[in-house]
């Protein structure tokens, strides 16, 4: 019997798998790793409680691996009584020696042991711990070597005029055999139209509207906006690829210290050293002529000079409710908007600056091409005062506070959320399969085999539409999966969070008045998910009645009657959130 069997009487284990791009190429897929670990668990008479998988995540640190962190959290909470973690290779557990040893120390403190099935080592023995130190250092060296070799290869490809990976810009398709680009004539029309309309004098937003009216936007990522926006136009106008140049190294990775976690993190920033930016002549045809490009760049420079931002005290104002207020017309979150004080024609004095919230939906969102009709400006100070009054009112209601206290003592059950996540992931995989098939059909659509030109165009348009719909569907599914993950994580932290919320709400107004502007914003964003407004059409806004409801971030269950602050939908009470109604609060 091994030392670990002496130390532990339980035989429950977790399986952790991870893949990055390099490992997927080497053949160590998530499925292969899991299968190997399950065989090992069966042979060792272990019961697998859960499997945690991080797909496409680097092993250089823990922060970028949500499933790994969830596994450590479950171990800390002793969720399943697991006493072992099985990994295919130690490098799957981590490629950073410092992080790996720190996590091994964490496991040891919680009486949990790591087994590497492929390497044949565990950390339950002195020899096993020593071997893991050696393997951790080797894994980190391997990661550094991979990065250096990959970077050197990319630099060489850029210098030789080859495409360096990633999605090609609009107007081009990728020729993977020759590592170069080929002009996609249908998309190239979009690029030419952008430069043409820009030189005719149209603004970036007007060009985006023109493109949405005459073209269908090519989708490059699953979460791409299906409509053109002003930033897409500016990006095309600045992309040197269209004049046949390869530019590589405009951004670099910089290590910074996170102010909250105090840990080092990698962040992509603009490259400030021009010598490290590679520009070479690409081995592909260009879409835009040099003279057109030069005229467009001169005009771009004039635009930049004209709209260069100057230091404005109003621009430093902190809007506590940005990202919370929902537009009653289009559903978009309202943005902050400063209004400079006007000069009085009588006194010649400048009035005070004011700060408002307004909807800036200019039609460049998936909701449609029309601009949002909600043109009201809501005063920041008056709106915040109403929000504070509502929350302060709630903190004085006994039933309301009792409901929160009861909720603090309730248990956490995430089984339904995990079932929901599995369903969403299955739908996402099905959508990926369908997308692959449709893309194959589109790529092999033979115009010569279809003699009827109109029929060919109909089939082509149908496939394009279905592919675009799938991209939109996958983006929604991906967003839903992330939301469920957030709910699962929040569920584990609910008791601590609710205790804090209870403490804050009990003395909310006193706390809030002592905060600075940044703290006030952080506080409101911790408490509130969204704020719904009445759709005012009158000239004057009644701020005492402008707020329709407030939805809090934390769950609140109260089945009793007579509580004017709680809105309970008739569906699933477990998903109920607090809604404070302004009208009811005054009853």
């Amino acid at each position: 019997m091994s030392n670990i069997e002496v130390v532990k009487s339980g035989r429950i284990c977790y399986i952790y798998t991870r893949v990055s791009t390099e490992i997927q190429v080497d053949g160590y897929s998530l499925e292969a790793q899991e299968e190997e670990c399950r065989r090992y668990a069966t042979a060792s008479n272990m019961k697998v409680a859960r499997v945690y998988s991080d797909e496409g995540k680097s092993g250089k640190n823990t922060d970028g691996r949500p499933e790994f962190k969830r596994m450590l959290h479950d171990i800390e909470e002793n969720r399943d009584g697991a006493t072992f973690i099985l990994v295919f290779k130690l490098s799957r557990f981590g490629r950073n020696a410092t992080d790996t040893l720190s996590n091994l120390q964490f496991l040891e403190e919680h009486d949990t042991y790591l087994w590497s099935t492929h390497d044949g080592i565990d950390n339950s023995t002195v020899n096993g711990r020593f071997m893991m130190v050696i393997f951790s250092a080797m894994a980190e060296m391997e990661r550094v070597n991979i990065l250096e070799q990959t970077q050197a290869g990319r630099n060489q490809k850029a210098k030789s005029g080859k495409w360096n990976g990633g999605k090609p810009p609009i107007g081009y398709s990728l020729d993977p055999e020759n590592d170069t680009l080929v002009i996609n004539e249908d998309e190239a029309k979009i690029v030419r139209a952008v430069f043409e309309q820009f030189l005719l004098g149209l603004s970036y937003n007007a060009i985006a509207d023109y493109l949405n009216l005459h073209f269908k936007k090519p989708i490059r990522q699953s979460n791409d906006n299906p409509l053109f926006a002003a930033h897409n136009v500016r990006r095309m106008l600045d992309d040197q690829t269209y004049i046949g140049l390869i530019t590589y190294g405009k951004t670099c990775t910089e290590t910074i210290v996170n102010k909250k976690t105090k840990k080092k993190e990698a962040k992509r920033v603009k490259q400030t050293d021009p010598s490290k930016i590679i520009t070479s002549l690409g081995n592909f045809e260009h879409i835009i002529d040099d003279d057109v490009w030069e005229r467009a760049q001169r005009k771009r420079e004039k635009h930049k000079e004209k709209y260069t931002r100057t230091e404005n005290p109003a621009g430093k104002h902190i809007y506590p409710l940005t990202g919370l207020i929902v537009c009653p017309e289009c559903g978009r979150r309202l943005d902050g908007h400063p209004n400079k004080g006007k000069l009085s024609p009588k006194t010649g004095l400048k009035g005070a600056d004011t700060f408002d919230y307004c909807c800036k939906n200019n039609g460049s969102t998936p909701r449609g091409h029309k601009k949002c009709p909600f043109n009201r400006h809501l005063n920041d100070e008056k709106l915040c005062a109403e929000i504070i009054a509502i929350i302060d009112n709630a903190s004085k209601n006994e039933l309301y506070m009792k409901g929160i206290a009861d909720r603090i003592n309730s248990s956490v059950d995430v089984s339904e959320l995990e079932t929901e996540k599995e369903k969403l992931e299955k739908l996402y995989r099905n959508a990926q399969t369908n997308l692959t098939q449709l893309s194959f059909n589109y790529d092999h659509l033979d115009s010569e085999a279809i003699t009827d030109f109109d029929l060919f165009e109909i089939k082509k348009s149908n496939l394009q539409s279905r592919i675009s719909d799938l991209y939109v569907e996958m983006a929604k599914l991906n967003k839903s999966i992330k939301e469920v993950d957030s709910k699962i994580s929040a569920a584990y932290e609910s008791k601590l969070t609710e205790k804090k919320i209870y403490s804050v709400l009990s003395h909310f107004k006193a706390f809030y008045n002592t905060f600075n502007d940044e703290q006030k914003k952080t506080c409101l964003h911790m408490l509130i998910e969204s704020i719904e407004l009445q759709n005012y059409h009158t000239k004057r806004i009644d701020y005492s009645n402008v707020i329709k409801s407030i939805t809090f971030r934390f769950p609140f269950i109260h089945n009793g009657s007579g509580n004017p602050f709680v809105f309970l939908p008739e569906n699933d009470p477990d998903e109920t959130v607090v809604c404070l109604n302004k009208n009811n609060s005054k009853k």
Side-chain angles (χ1 to χ4, degrees):
M1 183 177 292
S2 67
N3 289 354
I4 194 167
E5 291 173 319
V6 174
V7 174
K8 291 292 183 179
S9 58
R11 305 296 296 182
I12 299 174
C13 71
Y14 289 152
I15 291 176
Y16 177 73
T17 62
R18 180 184 65 81
V19 292
S20 59
T21 304
E22 305 89 21
I23 299 305
Q24 286 173 332
V25 172
D26 290 341
Y28 299 116
S29 66
L30 291 174
E31 294 77 11
Q33 292 179 47
E34 182 180 343
E35 184 180 352
E36 174 66 22
C37 289
R38 285 190 179 277
R39 280 202 300 266
Y40 194 93
T42 302
S44 303
N45 195 26
M46 292 184 184
K47 178 184 176 183
V48 178
R50 297 178 190 276
V51 178
Y52 303 85
S53 298
D54 281 313
E55 184 174 3
K57 303 296 183 182
S58 170
K60 64 181 178 181
N61 57 45
T62 303
D63 293 336
R65 295 185 279 162
E67 285 292 288
F68 186 88
K69 291 197 289 186
R70 190 155 72 94
M71 178 181 68
L72 296 185
H73 184 277
D74 289 347
I75 290 171
E76 185 176 20
E77 296 293 320
N78 196 24
R79 183 179 180 186
D80 302 290
T83 53
F84 307 99
I85 296 176
L86 301 185
V87 294
F88 175 62
K89 294 180 69 176
L90 185 60
S91 60
R92 303 303 88 222
F93 190 76
R95 283 186 177 273
N96 181 297
T98 303
D99 263 12
T100 299
L101 296 177
S102 174
N103 291 324
L104 288 174
Q105 178 65 32
F106 173 86
L107 297 182
E108 187 174 342
E109 291 172 357
H110 292 83
D111 296 328
T112 306
Y113 296 89
L114 178 69
W115 282 14
S116 173
T117 63
H118 183 81
D119 302 322
I121 57 175
D122 65 72
N123 69 331
S124 65
T125 65
V126 175
N127 288 337
R129 286 194 289 271
F130 175 73
M131 290 301 298
M132 284 198 172
V133 172
I134 301 300
F135 273 77
S136 298
M138 291 174 62
E140 182 168 2
M141 289 176 62
E142 183 183 359
R143 180 179 69 85
V144 173
N145 287 335
I146 289 173
L147 289 174
E148 290 178 351
Q149 292 169 11
T150 302
Q151 188 62 45
R154 288 176 176 173
N155 289 344
Q156 185 56 42
K157 284 179 67 176
K159 290 177 181 177
S160 60
K162 295 182 178 180
W163 186 246
N164 223 332
K167 302 294 182 181
I170 293 174
Y172 288 103
S173 298
L174 181 62
D175 179 2
E177 292 184 2
N178 300 310
D179 289 328
T180 188
L181 302 175
V182 292
I183 295 179
N184 182 323
E185 284 300 334
D186 290 335
E187 296 182 6
K189 294 176 183 177
I190 298 173
V191 179
R192 296 187 185 104
V194 167
F195 280 84
E196 179 183 345
Q197 298 300 318
F198 181 66
L199 292 176
L200 286 175
L202 266 66
S203 68
Y204 305 124
N205 283 320
I207 296 173
D209 290 339
Y210 176 87
L211 295 180
N212 288 322
L213 190 62
H214 294 86
F215 301 97
K216 188 175 182 65
K217 182 182 176 183
I219 302 298
R220 291 292 191 262
Q221 304 286 351
S222 60
N223 60 345
D224 273 0
N225 188 328
L227 296 179
F228 288 99
H231 68 88
N232 300 125
V233 174
R234 287 191 290 268
R235 184 174 297 174
M236 281 189 271
L237 289 169
D238 292 338
D239 196 337
Q240 290 183 308
T241 310
Y242 297 129
I243 54 173
L245 295 179
I246 291 286
T247 305
Y248 180 69
K250 291 188 291 185
T251 61
C252 61
T253 301
E254 184 178 274
T255 302
I256 62 171
V257 178
N258 189 303
K259 293 181 180 179
K260 293 183 179 179
T261 63
K262 306 300 181 183
K263 291 184 177 181
K264 292 183 179 180
E265 296 179 353
K267 183 180 180 182
R268 297 298 294 180
V269 297
K270 286 186 177 181
Q271 177 60 262
T272 57
D273 186 356
S275 64
K276 293 183 179 180
I277 300 177
I278 300 172
T279 302
S280 61
L281 185 63
N283 53 359
F284 54 87
E285 296 183 36
H286 53 82
I287 296 175
I288 301 300
D289 293 334
D290 290 344
D291 60 327
V292 174
W293 170 266
E294 290 297 334
R295 284 192 292 143
Q297 295 314 301
R298 286 196 294 270
K299 192 168 184 179
R300 278 283 284 145
E301 288 301 322
K302 290 181 180 179
H303 273 237
K304 291 176 183 178
E305 292 174 5
K306 182 178 180 181
Y307 295 104
T308 299
R309 292 187 179 184
T310 56
E311 191 65 27
N312 179 13
K316 295 182 178 180
H317 179 76
I318 295 174
Y319 296 86
L321 303 177
T322 49
L324 299 180
I325 312 171
V326 180
C327 175
E329 287 284 357
C330 70
R332 181 172 176 168
R333 303 295 169 118
L334 302 191
D335 296 303
H337 183 78
N339 293 307
K340 292 183 179 180
K342 297 180 179 179
L343 288 173
S344 170
K346 295 181 179 180
T347 63
L349 299 176
K350 179 179 175 296
D353 295 334
T354 58
F355 306 96
D356 299 337
Y357 297 97
C358 63
C359 183
K360 295 185 179 181
N361 181 3
N362 58 6
S364 60
T365 69
R367 297 183 181 92
H369 301 302
K370 295 182 179 179
K371 293 185 178 181
C372 178
F374 187 75
N375 58 359
R376 309 311 301 268
H377 282 229
L378 304 169
N379 183 268
D380 177 30
E381 185 178 350
K382 293 179 181 179
L383 195 58
C384 280
E386 290 299 312
I387 299 291
I388 303 308
I390 292 174
I391 300 175
D392 189 53
N393 245 349
S395 66
K396 297 173 183 176
N397 184 284
E398 293 182 4
L399 287 175
Y400 176 81
M401 299 306 288
K402 183 180 182 299
I404 295 179
D406 292 341
R407 178 63 182 174
I408 290 174
N409 299 319
S410 64
S411 60
V412 176
D413 182 10
V414 295
S415 57
E416 291 186 5
L417 289 173
E418 289 182 336
T419 302
E420 182 184 354
K421 181 182 176 182
E422 289 176 3
K423 291 180 180 178
L424 291 170
E425 288 176 337
K426 184 177 180 180
L427 290 172
Y428 188 87
R429 289 194 298 270
N430 290 341
Q432 278 185 316
T433 303
N434 293 337
L435 179 62
T436 302
Q437 183 60 51
L438 288 174
S439 299
F440 178 84
N441 293 343
Y442 182 83
D443 292 340
H444 292 79
L445 192 62
D446 191 351
S447 58
E448 296 181 359
I450 305 176
T451 55
D452 189 336
F453 178 76
D454 291 337
L455 178 60
F456 174 79
E457 288 298 317
I458 291 172
K459 287 190 174 184
K460 179 181 176 182
S461 177
N462 178 262
L463 285 171
Q464 287 177 330
S465 176
R466 291 169 66 187
I467 289 172
S468 178
D469 290 344
L470 272 175
Y471 274 118
V472 174
E473 179 187 349
M474 289 170 67
K476 291 179 180 178
L477 287 171
N478 189 45
K479 181 180 179 181
S480 299
I481 291 170
K482 289 181 179 178
E483 289 174 352
V484 173
D485 274 333
S486 298
K487 290 179 181 179
I488 292 173
S489 299
Y492 290 125
E493 301 171 0
S494 61
K495 290 187 179 180
L496 177 62
T497 303
E498 287 160 359
K499 286 179 181 177
K500 288 182 178 179
I501 290 171
Y502 183 88
S503 174
V504 170
L505 287 179
S506 299
H507 310 87
F508 181 77
K509 202 165 187 178
F511 275 128
Y512 189 84
N513 290 334
T514 63
F515 294 160
N516 60 35
D517 291 342
E518 189 64 48
Q519 290 170 333
K520 288 178 179 179
K521 180 174 182 176
T522 302
C523 177
L524 291 176
H525 278 251
M526 285 177 62
L527 292 174
I528 298 172
E529 173 68 31
S530 62
I531 301 169
E532 291 190 29
L533 304 175
Q534 305 283 359
N535 196 348
Y536 268 84
H537 297 285
T538 57
K539 183 176 181 180
R540 195 173 183 83
I541 297 175
D542 179 9
Y543 283 90
S544 65
N545 197 36
V546 71
I547 300 169
K548 186 176 181 181
S549 64
I550 303 175
T551 304
F552 276 92
R553 290 187 179 276
F554 57 94
F556 181 77
I557 300 176
H558 177 65
N559 295 323
S561 58
N563 189 338
F565 297 105
V566 179
F567 171 74
L568 291 174
E570 296 181 358
N571 48 15
D572 183 8
D574 290 334
E575 293 300 318
T576 303
V577 289
V578 178
C579 288
L580 301 184
N581 188 286
K582 177 64 182 176
N583 296 329
N584 290 338
S585 68
K586 293 200 168 188
K587 291 182 181 179

